[in-house]
Amino acid sequence: MSKLVVVYLISLYDDRDNLKKFINHYLNFDAGSQHELVICFKNFNEQDNIFQTPELKQIKYTKFIDNNKFNDYDWGSYYRVSKNYFDKIIFYMNCHCRPLVNNWLKIFEDNYTEKSLFSASLLFEYNEWSSLP
């Protein structure tokens, strides 16, 4: 069993194409390190058609459904997932993230120290605002 866990989070309110894009990039760019992939589905129920996404059948992953009664944003889901992996190094990715180069996880692993917290995330609204004059 690997000491690394990659947690990809998509919520009911996110663009579902982001999941497809993530999986396609995940398949096309080697992580460079052994890891377990966890896909956290925030506020989805088991009957949702997202679980029929054809790309999901192309990868090995652990499904984590996070249904919460209140909005605690991505952080709440990350916290709940991390309770299952307290003895692992967890790399968090939100729904706007996807690998772009080979060895994308190894780069982070090689720079990890005991006091590290690492994550790849993109605040979508900030990205939009950064293009304003």
Side-chain angles (χ1 to χ4, degrees):
M1 178 72 55
S2 174
K3 66 178 178 174
L4 292 174
V5 176
V6 173
V7 177
Y8 177 80
L9 171 69
I10 186 160
S11 81
L12 181 64
Y13 313 106
D14 294 319
D15 183 345
R16 292 169 183 227
D17 281 341
N18 286 335
L19 177 62
K20 294 176 185 179
K21 290 174 186 174
F22 168 78
I23 293 170
N24 287 327
H25 282 249
Y26 182 83
L27 290 170
N28 287 318
F29 296 101
D30 183 46
S33 295
Q34 292 291 319
H35 63 280
E36 177 181 351
L37 174 62
V38 175
I39 300 180
C40 178
F41 297 91
K42 185 177 183 79
N43 293 329
F44 288 97
N45 64 52
E46 286 283 352
Q47 291 71 44
D48 196 284
N49 65 2
I50 195 166
F51 300 110
Q52 305 308 314
T53 303
E55 287 82 357
L56 285 171
K57 294 181 177 139
Q58 298 176 36
I59 60 171
K60 181 182 176 190
Y61 70 98
T62 302
K63 177 170 56 173
F64 187 95
I65 297 178
D66 185 33
N67 289 320
N68 205 30
K69 301 269 189 245
F70 59 92
N71 187 8
D72 56 1
Y73 306 97
D74 292 0
W75 290 107
S77 295
Y78 294 149
Y79 173 73
R80 284 182 288 282
V81 171
S82 69
K83 286 181 175 183
N84 295 324
Y85 299 96
F86 61 89
D87 59 340
K88 307 289 184 189
I89 299 169
I90 305 171
F91 182 76
Y92 298 104
M93 300 177 82
N94 70 21
C95 74
H96 299 288
C97 297
R98 52 190 163 268
L100 296 175
V101 297
N102 285 323
N103 297 314
W104 57 271
L105 185 57
K106 183 166 180 30
I107 292 167
F108 284 96
E109 181 184 22
D110 288 350
N111 289 286
Y112 174 81
T113 67
E114 286 297 317
K115 295 186 180 191
S116 295
L117 172 66
F118 53 78
S119 173
S121 64
L122 171 66
L123 180 58
F124 181 70
E125 291 81 3
Y126 178 79
N127 192 37
E128 294 294 315
W129 294 339
S130 66
S131 62
L132 296 175

